[in-house]
Amino acid sequence: MMRTRPLKVALLGCGVVGSEVARIMTTHAADLAARIGAPVELAGVAVRRPSKVREGIDPALITTDATALVKRGDIDVVVEVIGGIEPARTLITTAFEHGASVVSANKALLAQDGAALHAAAEQHDKDLYYEAAVAGAIPLIRPLRESLAGDKVNRVLGIVNGTTNFILDKMDSTGAGYQEALDEATALGYAEADPTADVEGFDAAAKAAILAGIAFHTRVRLDDVYREGMTEVTAADFASAKEMGCTIKLLAICERAEDGASVTARVHPAMIPLTHPLASVRGAYNAVFVESDASGQLMFYGPGAGGSPTASAVLGDLVAVCRNRLSGATGPGESAYAALPVEGMGDVVTRYHISLDVADKPGVLAQVATVFAEHGVSIDTVRQQGKDGEASLVVVTHRASDAALGGTVEALRKLDTVRGVASIMRVEGE
């Protein structure tokens, strides 16, 4: 039997995502009520610019006092889509203190202070849900947190930023340079006026921290994630990748060590074989590849950003939290019981593609090979091209640690026959 008294929802932020959340709550009100078991009512909307016309939203609901809204005491669920660290952090903890559960899309805050927010939710016996924080409409957090709760996840490998995937896809398919592809992404609205958070990997690193924490039942903060942007990727890198039967993607990679005693989380450009499912992810789409003991390999794919896709994830969480509210229960909280150490990048083992500018004369290859051998890095393939006294030498290694490769490169730079290191890129996804 459906309860007639509505559950009251406070919306913090009414931009691209927030306005779409409000629209869906209004246009799908009957369906949401049927799925929840009670009506949901938009009880207030906190914004910075109250004079802006917001179609479909009663002006009487608009307020600039977000703190007063979350303190009302009659609010059942607070939906936070304002982003950033403050005032979002204070507003969320205040909501818990005044009896509301929270649905958030705030990846930066959750990556930095997720443990404290979970603790606050648990202290006040409230829910904290955030499916929309990682991959837009793609159901990912709930499968990791609930569907795979009985399994052991070993690796999460994914494309979690649509802007960078669009840029790299354009470079791959058209031969465009980085700046040309970025300009097109900006013109089409995929890239912000300041694209730093995307192209330097900050956005993906926050998502990697969240995914690693859930997958490995370990607290992983943003500072634990190795981050490398994709602004140095060139058309020449794509040409080399194609010769290897690969393409280049900006990947978020969360891994459990082979002995199971530690985890790593990293974001960087990498070559992946064209045969890997992630290689076919085009445009601004996201995809995440999960490897676990019992389930094997799973892939989650779809639009990872935008108003409607992100609002879809927010509404899914809203339904779940409202159902919990009606039943007097709470959903899964933080699971950090494993408390595994998070290792640095130096311990990560992978393959490498190194392009060197060298002198075109006898003995160069032997010198370079000796340096690799002295540092314990095994060579898989070598390709050399030379003309007019200069040459390029492309080396692809077998699996080696980042620390060993770093020592190798430093030694190579000291050789008189090595003019420079043109590029270094990891090879993943085998």
Side-chain angles (χ1 to χ4, degrees):
M1 186 171 120
M2 183 177 293
R3 191 181 86 164
T4 56
R5 184 168 64 84
L7 292 160
K8 293 189 176 182
V9 177
L11 179 61
L12 307 183
C14 198
V16 174
V17 176
S19 59
E20 192 66 8
V21 169
R23 184 191 69 78
I24 295 173
M25 284 185 64
T26 301
T27 58
H28 295 182
D31 286 336
L32 291 172
R35 294 165 191 170
I36 292 168
V40 286
E41 173 188 313
L42 189 58
V45 182
V47 300
R48 286 185 298 176
R49 296 186 294 275
S51 59
K52 181 179 177 180
V53 176
R54 293 171 172 87
E55 187 177 346
I57 298 176
D58 184 350
L61 297 177
I62 301 297
T63 178
T64 57
D65 194 343
T67 301
L69 179 59
V70 301
K71 281 184 174 181
R72 273 178 38 172
D74 64 336
I75 300 297
D76 294 288
V77 184
V78 169
V79 174
E80 183 271 309
V81 289
I82 57 178
I85 306 302
E86 288 291 358
R89 174 170 49 198
T90 299
L91 290 170
I92 288 173
T93 55
T94 302
F96 292 141
E97 292 165 2
H98 288 78
S101 290
V102 173
V103 172
S104 176
N106 195 330
K107 54 187 172 287
L109 177 59
L110 289 158
Q112 178 173 306
D113 290 319
L117 294 178
H118 275 292
E122 183 177 0
Q123 178 186 350
H124 296 284
D125 197 27
K126 296 296 177 287
D127 276 323
L128 173 62
Y129 276 47
Y130 43 90
E131 184 69 67
V134 172
I138 304 172
L140 183 58
I141 289 179
R142 193 171 289 119
L144 283 173
R145 192 161 64 171
E146 299 178 29
S147 304
L148 296 175
D151 205 344
K152 179 184 177 184
V153 176
N154 296 310
R155 195 171 197 231
V156 179
L157 174 77
I159 298 164
V160 294
N161 183 277
T163 300
T164 55
N165 198 59
F166 178 87
I167 293 170
L168 292 172
D169 183 34
K170 281 294 175 183
M171 293 176 70
D172 184 28
S173 60
T174 69
Y178 165 75
Q179 189 60 51
E180 183 183 350
L182 172 60
D183 290 344
E184 183 173 352
T186 304
L188 292 172
Y190 291 124
E192 301 287 345
D194 180 1
T196 302
D198 295 322
V199 300
E200 294 294 352
F202 290 101
D203 175 84
K207 295 170 180 177
I210 295 169
L211 290 174
I214 296 170
F216 306 133
H217 306 279
T218 292
R219 286 178 178 169
V220 180
R221 288 171 50 88
L222 180 59
D223 291 344
D224 296 321
V225 182
Y226 172 84
R227 177 193 56 78
E228 182 182 320
M230 42 77 71
T231 57
E232 301 301 318
V233 177
T234 66
D237 291 326
F238 274 102
S240 293
K242 287 181 179 180
E243 290 179 1
M244 292 176 57
C246 293
T247 188
I248 299 171
K249 299 292 186 182
L250 184 75
L251 298 179
I253 305 170
C254 312
E255 291 180 308
R256 190 189 299 268
E258 290 185 7
D259 62 4
S262 63
V263 299
T264 58
R266 50 198 167 104
V267 169
H268 54 71
M271 294 182 181
I272 57 172
L274 294 174
T275 54
H276 193 281
L278 290 179
S280 61
V281 178
R282 317 298 292 188
Y285 275 73
N286 285 191
V288 177
F289 204 69
V290 178
E291 300 174 11
S292 65
D293 277 359
S295 300
Q297 297 178 332
L298 305 170
M299 183 164 155
F300 302 84
Y301 168 84
S308 293
T310 305
S312 170
V314 169
L315 267 295
D317 278 350
L318 179 63
V319 169
V321 169
C322 286
R323 286 171 175 169
N324 291 342
R325 192 86 172 182
L326 288 178
S327 65
T330 55
E334 183 189 31
S335 176
Y337 72 90
L340 297 171
V342 184
E343 301 291 349
M345 191 63 187
D347 297 313
V348 170
V349 176
T350 188
R351 297 175 67 206
Y352 289 87
H353 175 282
I354 305 103
S355 179
L356 304 172
D357 295 326
V358 299
D360 186 17
K361 62 182 183 180
V364 173
L365 180 56
Q367 285 184 326
V368 169
T370 298
V371 170
F372 276 89
E374 289 174 346
H375 288 81
V377 179
S378 176
I379 294 176
D380 182 17
T381 63
V382 178
R383 186 176 70 255
Q384 183 173 4
Q385 294 177 326
K387 185 179 180 181
D388 298 329
E390 298 296 329
S392 63
L393 192 66
V394 175
V395 178
V396 179
T397 73
H398 288 291
R399 289 170 61 82
S401 72
D402 191 78
L405 195 282
T408 303
V409 171
E410 286 304 308
L412 288 171
R413 292 184 193 277
K414 295 176 182 178
L415 292 178
D416 292 338
T417 51
V418 175
R419 311 297 193 214
V421 179
S423 69
I424 303 172
M425 191 166 296
R426 296 167 184 88
V427 183
E428 302 280 352
E430 294 180 284

